[in-house]
Amino acid sequence: MRIDIVSVVPEIFKGPFSSSIIQRAINKGIMDIHIHDLRKYGLGKRKKVDDYPYGGGGGMVFRIEPVYQCFDKLLSERNYDEKIFMTPDGILFSQKYANTLTCKKNLIILCGRYKGIDQRIRDHLISKEISIGPYVLSGGELPAAVVVETIARLLPGVLHNPNSMITDSFQMEKRGAHPIYTRPKIYKGWAVPKILLSGHHKKIKEWICQKSIQKKLDS
Ligand code: SAH
């Protein structure tokens, strides 16, 4: 799967993309991530990407030309399944939608900044608008990283143990994530449920099933 991310602060991705799951997905060739600095497509000597909003109001706005040029180059090279804009007023990102995205071959993710982006970019260049939650960050980079990591762990071959992903919260329609424990058996008097130490696989399975259904009912 190829993901092209368009941003004015590309250095933000160095951290999240150079360790753990996303790094593994990249190193294994399962995810091919390309970060594009929108400033390269900026206007004039100063490579300007933003301007004042027509009609006034605070904050700067992404101009359409740099985004158009960048998208035009990418679209001339391959077809994209979705051209996503990260925005707080988009559809709320979910595990279900992440599952859908794993079936795509090529994605573009545009990260906004400042007050936002010229509406014509949204109307003519973008196919999906995604929010990671009902709150406002300063840019679309962290939201894009959230989307990329959620997809990465779903792609076959990325997690060492795919069973772990199947039983995650939100992955199962009728179940939540069951409680999990590791060593020590007792810490400060807080004990691991006896059943998990019993070695009785059938009973353990039933306990896990019951707990995960209970979690869903409680949520
Ligand atoms: N004025 C805009 C917010 C701009 S925040 C509004 O009120 O909707 C600047 C950029 O950060 C946005 O263009 C978007 O790309 C990103 N962003 C901020 N919060 C986000 C969220 N919850 N989900 C996805 N992207 C977000």
Side-chain angles (χ1 to χ4, degrees):
M1 174 181 212
R2 176 180 170 122
I3 304 182
D4 289 89
I5 299 179
V6 181
S7 158
V8 287
V9 212
E11 58 273 19
I12 289 182
F13 295 101
K14 276 188 200 147
F17 288 3
S18 61
S19 54
S20 189
I21 300 292
I22 301 184
Q23 188 196 39
R24 196 186 306 155
I26 294 170
N27 289 348
K28 284 186 157 186
I30 297 168
M31 252 186 176
D32 185 17
I33 301 180
H34 298 258
I35 316 274
H36 305 275
D37 186 351
L38 188 63
R39 281 190 206 286
K40 267 197 186 161
Y41 301 86
L43 301 159
K45 255 194 191 157
R46 293 186 53 235
K47 298 287 176 194
K48 205 170 155 57
V49 295
D50 58 336
D51 222 318
Y52 295 98
Y54 279 127
M60 299 297 276
V61 178
F62 272 16
R63 292 178 61 128
I64 190 169
E65 305 96 313
V67 179
Y68 187 93
Q69 294 300 328
C70 179
F71 274 43
D72 197 40
K73 181 171 184 294
L74 292 173
L75 290 164
S76 72
E77 291 163 357
R78 68 197 62 79
N79 289 324
Y80 284 89
D81 301 293
E82 295 290 1
K83 291 153 279 172
I84 295 167
F85 172 50
M86 302 308 308
T87 175
D89 58 2
I91 52 163
L92 193 60
F93 188 53
S94 62
Q95 192 68 30
K96 202 170 177 182
Y97 189 55
N99 286 335
T100 310
L101 288 178
T102 58
C103 305
K104 311 288 184 197
K105 213 168 149 228
N106 300 315
L107 300 176
I108 295 179
I109 303 181
L110 174 64
C111 307
R113 278 262 147 190
Y114 323 126
K115 179 69 186 157
I117 68 175
D118 188 302
Q119 183 61 36
R120 288 165 293 182
I121 302 172
R122 301 172 72 159
D123 291 345
H124 302 289
L125 305 181
I126 294 297
S127 62
K128 275 273 172 351
E129 300 191 329
I130 298 182
S131 164
I132 60 157
Y135 41 79
V136 180
L137 293 127
S138 303
E141 288 76 14
L142 295 178
V146 166
V147 169
V148 170
E149 172 151 337
T150 312
I151 298 172
R153 68 198 308 286
L154 292 171
L155 295 174
V158 174
L159 291 190
H160 290 313
N161 182 352
N163 283 339
S164 146
M165 171 255 288
I166 291 164
T167 54
D168 276 344
S169 305
F170 313 117
Q171 197 59 265
M172 301 165 290
E173 286 262 311
K174 296 193 172 77
R175 295 188 194 184
H178 61 82
I180 48 172
Y181 299 87
T182 185
R183 282 184 287 188
K185 288 177 186 164
I186 299 177
Y187 185 70
K188 295 191 188 292
W190 301 319
V192 171
K194 279 205 180 84
I195 181 81
L196 294 178
L197 311 172
S198 67
H200 197 305
H201 296 299
K202 190 163 170 273
K203 279 201 173 144
I204 292 175
K205 239 181 163 177
E206 279 167 13
W207 182 88
I208 288 176
C209 179
Q210 192 194 346
K211 290 287 177 190
S212 63
I213 290 170
Q214 190 59 46
K215 190 75 175 268
K216 191 76 184 179
L217 294 175
D218 292 345
S219 66

